[in-house]
């Protein structure tokens, strides 16, 4: 593995100082910003995440703020998910597609008010798409990236830790809801959400200057909880079937291929871009879909799509893989053609280190 | 420096195999893809670039193809540069701005035909902006990323090497022009251009499968020229004043602040986005501008903006810096307020390692 060259173009976050002090060992780059990938080891981080509590620098989840009379109209243009029933204080996972139904991002939208939204993005410059649409349609809306950086607190002890810093009222926050809580005189959105299946919160830290004080406050409050710096964990997120935009899905894929058809209400999401294409997809169904895959044997890191093979033909590809200590197999995510996507189908994968046996599963491990 | 974690989301290029075999020591991530930053050492690479010839994997310069009846109209919407005089076979450096005149990218546009263009992009998902505009304006144009990956040949011996592989006709290609040349039965655009001041070519390699055969052909043909794998060189590009989008300029900046006012014909580039804002800027002039800066003393890597200080006030920032063996000083690029941007002005810069003396220059070193 090569080192990553320092430059201003790869942005530091409000928490990078804390991440470095905690001994980060690897980074990836996500939305032109540093995202930690490992502290002690991916396996040690995994065990700790499942048993205690971690603080994650996920400032790379940049926010796109929509504000103004046309904000709600623009938000509905962006996604095939029907937003009519969404209330302020709710988070929605919203596939964003282009005019052909190809995935551009899979963010979480926060409705702050009828005329104010945040879109908490995955790894693509979605801001450019949103600005282009707003400009082309002459919408009466401001679109910008505010100085807001999410900090996640994840793991079984997350609620206890967040309650110690923000007060017991956070315990009442329901899944994919958020409330406003004070830290050091600044009001911040605190949501019960996060890129793990261990439970926890995401704090939308308003103002770079508030980053390290909050970081320190969490570590100070959580000493007896064995709080540690962590990051999205490759093993845990594959076990839980949490997709990664750019890894498991790209602009090539429709939401239906990604198993996100349940978030597409193309009949009722009037005005959304890509509706025509997705109505067609919804009618006919996808010809390939995301599946959980168990892979036997030793594996190198998955840094490129690995072809899935059956009877010498390509029937899909693996895009994420890791060895699961809990399930004693390599857990993986891949796109599989409908001819081979049924539970229990036996196929093979062509890795750079050779062929491996694969079992297709319809459900993820957690 | 931390290692970069492997994932499919950080795309390999058609040349990564060759880059690895050549002993790459560092990468950055650019347009969701691996870009080498150092082979032997930045200084050794620098000396070799200035004396021989290097082959650079710059596949990260992804292409956006515009094709169709409205392609030319869309291209002119994208940039304040007047494209009316541009002929097929020409390359234009084109600032791309949003409606407020903020830089979104600074690509090179290639006019393939009246109704077909490539935009060879810097580090942002410009495709999303272009698609958003095309959709919003209902333009009759196809916008996509083709399987085209530039490979640069740079250095004083570049012409000799490219002529050996593509024939002597390449010697007639003028600066920022391109022609079509055959390699192994595939026609490829070969332009006299590149991100160095040492001269050379960029080959727009059509088809991933043609990448490594061309790579090998160049190394085979250039053995006696001491051809080596290289990459954009931090020292050389700062000496030459080659700006880097995301480092030296962002969406915060207008082209005029970046010293790119000469590429903005806002009076005549009718229909371009941001025209109103740039007409205002052109009239009043920018209040800060890119300058060449000589910095005394030892410097850490510049991984964040360093404030420029005069009389305890912030008067700008440094965003790229490196020690120049040729000019015996740290060469740097920064944005400086008009109160301090005159030739020879003495100011200071606040680096993580302490304050350093700075001399402002109006021209770069090369």
């Amino acid at each position: 593995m090569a080192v990553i060259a320092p430059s201003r173009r790869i942005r530091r976050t409000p928490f990078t100082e804390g991440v470095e002090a905690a001994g980060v060992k690897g980074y990836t780059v996500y939305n032109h910003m540093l995202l930690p990938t490992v502290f002690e080891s991916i396996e040690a981080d995994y065990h700790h995440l499942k048993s205690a509590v971690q603080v994650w620098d996920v400032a790379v989840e940049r926010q796109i703020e929509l504000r103004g009379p046309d904000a709600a109209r623009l938000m509905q243009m962006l996604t095939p998910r029907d937003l009519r029933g969404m209330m302020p204080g709710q988070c929605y996972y919203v596939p964003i597609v282009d005019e052909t139904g190809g995935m551009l991002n899979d963010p979480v939208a926060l409705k702050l008010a009828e005329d104010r939204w945040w879109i908490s993005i995955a790894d693509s410059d979605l801001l450019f798409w949103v600005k282009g649409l707003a400009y082309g349609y002459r919408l009466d809306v401001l679109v910008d990236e505010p100085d807001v950086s999410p900090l996640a607190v994840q793991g079984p002890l997350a609620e206890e830790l967040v309650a110690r810093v923000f007060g017991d009222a956070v315990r009442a926050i329901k899944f994919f809801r958020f409330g406003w809580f004070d830290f050091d005189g600044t009001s911040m959105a605190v949501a019960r959400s996060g890129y793990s299946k261990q439970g926890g919160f995401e704090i939308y830290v308003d103002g770079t200057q508030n980053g390290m004080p909050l970081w320190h406050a969490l570590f100070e409050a959580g000493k007896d909880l064995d709080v540690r710096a962590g990051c999205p964990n490759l093993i845990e997120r594959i076990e839980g079937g949490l997709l990664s935009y750019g890894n498991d899905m790209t602009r090539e894929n429709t939401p239906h291929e990604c198993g996100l058809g349940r978030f597409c209400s193309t009949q009722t999401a009037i005005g959304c871009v890509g509706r025509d294409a997705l109505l067609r997809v919804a009618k006919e169904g996808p010809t390939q879909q995301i599946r959980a895959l168990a892979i036997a044997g030793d594996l190198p890191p998955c840094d490129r799509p690995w072809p899935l093979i059956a009877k010498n033909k390509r029937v899909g590809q693996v895009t994420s893989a890791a060895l699961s200590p809990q399930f004693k197999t390599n857990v993986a995510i891949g796109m599989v053609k409908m001819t081979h996507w049924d539970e229990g189908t036996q196929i093979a994968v062509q890795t750079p280190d050779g062929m491996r046996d694969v079992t297709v599963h319809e459900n993820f491990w957690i």
Side-chain angles (χ1 to χ4, degrees), chain A residues 20-245:
Chain A
E20 289 173 343
V24 63
K25 287 186 184 147
Y27 282 114
T28 186
V29 175
Y30 197 104
N31 285 327
H32 313 278
M33 204 172 232
L34 291 169
L35 173 64
T37 57
V38 57
F39 283 86
E40 192 178 341
S41 72
I42 291 180
E43 194 177 320
D45 293 353
Y46 161 93
H47 288 299
H48 179 262
L49 169 62
K50 288 193 169 190
S51 61
V53 55
Q54 297 182 346
V55 176
W56 294 2
D57 172 1
V58 285
V60 299
E61 293 170 6
R62 304 312 298 162
Q63 305 307 303
I64 300 173
E65 179 164 326
L66 313 183
R67 192 198 282 243
D70 284 336
R73 180 183 166 199
L74 176 55
M75 191 65 232
Q76 184 65 81
M77 283 182 68
L78 289 170
T79 181
R81 184 159 180 187
D82 188 340
L83 304 178
R84 286 177 302 171
M86 188 174 177
M87 305 293 291
Q90 281 193 288
C91 311
Y92 268 27
Y93 179 69
V94 286
I96 309 266
V97 300
D98 69 10
E99 72 284 2
T100 71
M103 295 284 295
L104 298 180
N105 205 288
D106 69 325
V108 171
L110 284 75
K111 184 172 182 174
L112 307 184
E114 290 300 329
D115 62 353
R116 191 170 171 225
W117 302 68
W118 281 345
I119 310 174
S120 191
I121 64 172
D123 182 34
S124 73
D125 294 335
L126 188 66
L127 181 68
F128 282 26
W129 172 247
V130 180
K131 279 174 66 83
L133 287 184
Y135 185 82
Y137 279 82
R138 290 164 178 68
L139 297 182
D140 197 5
V141 61
L142 268 172
V143 180
D144 213 339
E145 179 180 314
D147 179 18
V148 170
S149 298
L151 187 66
V153 183
Q154 301 284 299
L157 305 180
E159 182 176 302
E160 175 60 25
L161 177 55
V162 174
R164 290 183 187 179
V165 172
F166 287 93
D168 276 329
V170 298
R171 299 185 192 273
I173 301 172
K174 292 181 184 158
F175 186 65
F176 260 52
R177 302 265 176 161
F178 66 91
W180 293 92
F181 293 84
D182 179 85
F183 176 77
D184 252 12
T186 303
S187 184
M188 300 182 184
V190 177
R192 194 181 288 269
S193 59
Y195 194 64
S196 87
K197 291 279 187 177
Q198 307 310 312
F201 295 83
E202 288 177 301
I203 304 156
Y204 289 77
V205 180
D206 194 338
T208 295
Q209 74 284 0
N210 291 316
M212 285 312 299
L214 177 58
W215 178 277
H216 289 310
L218 288 163
F219 280 88
E220 190 62 34
K223 275 182 185 166
D224 61 309
L225 305 176
D226 189 25
V227 60
R228 296 185 198 168
C231 50
N233 185 275
L234 182 67
I235 310 169
E236 198 270 349
R237 75 120 179 135
I238 298 175
E239 288 177 351
L242 295 171
L243 305 185
S244 164
Y245 184 75

